[in-house]
Amino acid sequence: MPLPPARRRVAVIGTGAIVGGGHLPALRAHADRVELVAAVDVDQGRLDAFRELAGEQVAGFTSAGAMLDAVRPDLVLIGTPPALHREQTVAALKAGAWVLCEKPLCLSLAEYDDIAAAEQASGAYASVVFQHRYGSGAQHARELIARGELGAPLVAHCQTTWYRDAAYYAVPWRGRWASEGGGPTMGHGIHQYDLLLHLLGPWQEVRAMAARLVHDTESEDVSTALVRFRSGALATVVNSVLSPDEVSRIRIDCADATVELTHLYGHGNDDWTYTPAPHAGPERAAAWRAPAADVPSSHTAQLSALLDAWDRGVRPPGSGPEARATLEFAAALYKAAFTGTPVRAGEIGPGDPYYTAMHGDHPGWAPGEGA
């Protein structure tokens, strides 16, 4: 019998709420496969509090570079503010570590291509945390759509209508292009439209609008988009932080059924519903029932998929072309909204202002021209 893979040595960069509340439980759930050996935070008090929570055996560092040199971890989990993601991801890759980084993986397509180059040079991989792709409900829906069990996808709606008040944007790095990369299009709704792309496949064209309706920010506080997919399906996407009745929703009307997901910050099997068309027989509808195992969407589920890929020696999900397609969609939405013109997949490349920044230096939206 082959020996099981050795436990991967893991370090975290950033010890805030998302690492303590999302990544640490995931590491504990996979304690037979991973071992947390180091943590990094520039705030010594926050670092000490995390080490007390995680265990004193976790080495503490206030510098990511010092940690990478001293520890040489197998896997680095990054939970710092978005402006730091590219630099920290590239550094971890150069040190030979795989990376799982909170969204957005970076602030532009140009930064993403820097990460891709570091991947190629190192042989390691960088994945972005899009935990809503994972779990049994999302996997089941994707398989049904891919196999044609629900008929051809025709019409879809993707909704992230959340609420954030002025106190939320009082945090200095929020609402600023240089530190966050954008508004709800980059920081909130990206989870749901990433799942939409995961379910429906490549997008082809985007038309969009964006606005600052309430908050005193450089970036938008609401955006909407019309999307054409390569399959011919049409979709609407709404990203808002202005919505008191908070909900996250995806609805896909296929030729033979409607599949709908309604939740807020995470989903299980019961959050997915399948409604057959009148012509679909009960036998077909019975086959759409949720799988017996109920694995919620979570960091735990995504870490499991990453470790499975590592054990098989293949690129992990949520990296490479998949991750780039979601970031390209964000760039296309911003370009379409700010210029008032349709944007097609593959259009934004070197030389395009939206390749290097989501605001594209567009008048009224460039840094310093908002808040």
Side-chain angles (χ1 to χ4, degrees), residues 90-338:
V90 169
L93 290 168
K94 287 182 176 179
W98 283 33
V99 175
L100 180 59
C101 179
E102 282 297 321
K103 55 77 188 166
L105 179 59
C106 52
L107 303 188
S108 69
L109 289 169
E111 287 194 354
Y112 182 88
D113 290 344
D114 287 344
I115 291 172
E119 277 192 335
Q120 186 172 13
S122 69
Y125 297 114
S127 294
V128 59
V129 175
F130 283 135
Q131 71 269 27
H132 292 186
R133 283 185 175 211
Y134 302 88
S136 50
Q139 180 180 353
H140 182 61
R142 188 168 190 254
E143 290 173 352
L144 289 176
I145 293 170
R147 294 200 309 261
E149 296 289 339
L150 308 180
L154 302 172
V155 183
H157 175 67
C158 178
Q159 174 185 348
T160 303
T161 41
W162 294 356
Y163 187 80
R164 299 293 184 267
D165 60 15
Y168 176 85
Y169 284 104
V171 176
W173 58 266
R174 288 182 176 146
R176 297 289 184 261
W177 294 110
S179 51
E180 196 171 20
T185 307
M186 277 285 275
H188 304 82
I190 195 168
H191 278 297
Q192 293 316 300
Y193 64 71
D194 173 76
L195 178 54
L196 183 73
L197 299 179
H198 187 58
L199 295 173
L200 291 185
W203 61 274
Q204 187 176 63
E205 180 183 333
V206 177
R207 301 167 186 250
M209 293 187 290
R212 298 182 202 97
L213 298 182
V214 173
H215 293 295
D216 186 23
T217 57
E218 286 184 342
S219 54
E220 84 289 358
D221 55 17
V222 62
S223 68
T224 64
L226 301 175
V227 188
R228 187 186 307 276
F229 285 82
R230 190 181 297 172
S231 67
L234 300 179
T236 62
V237 176
V238 178
N239 308 299
S240 167
V241 288
L242 309 178
S243 309
D245 183 10
E246 294 188 294
V247 68
S248 304
R249 179 178 293 125
I250 287 179
R251 171 179 170 139
I252 302 173
D253 296 318
C254 300
D256 299 330
T258 292
V259 55
E260 187 166 9
L261 167 65
T262 304
H263 67 115
L264 187 52
Y265 299 134
H267 54 79
N269 287 353
D270 289 345
D271 297 311
W272 295 81
T273 61
Y274 294 85
T275 303
H279 62 266
E283 297 82 7
R284 287 187 65 190
W288 305 335
R289 291 186 186 131
D294 190 354
V295 180
S297 65
S298 64
H299 288 72
T300 300
Q302 180 162 4
L303 181 59
S304 177
L306 182 147
L307 294 172
D308 288 346
W310 204 336
D311 291 345
R312 297 195 306 272
V314 299
R315 173 179 284 281
S319 68
E322 288 183 7
R324 195 182 194 282
T326 300
L327 194 66
E328 184 189 6
F329 181 86
L333 193 157
Y334 279 120
K335 181 177 181 179
F338 297 164

Side-chain angles (χ1 to χ4, degrees), residues 344-360:
R344 297 182 65 84
E347 173 182 320
I348 300 174
D352 188 308
Y354 291 89
Y355 176 73
T356 52
M358 294 293 169
H359 54 75

Side-chain angles (χ1 to χ4, degrees), residues 25-72:
L27 293 170
R28 286 172 170 164
H30 295 292
D32 59 329
R33 307 175 74 182
V34 294
E35 176 188 10
L36 180 60
V37 297
V40 180
D41 203 300
V42 295
D43 185 315
Q44 186 67 54
R46 191 165 55 215
L47 176 61
D48 292 342
F50 177 81
R51 292 180 66 213
E52 184 175 349
L53 177 67
E56 289 297 329
Q57 78 284 355
V58 177
F61 297 83
T62 54
S63 162
M67 182 276 292
L68 291 170
D69 288 340
V71 178
R72 309 302 290 187

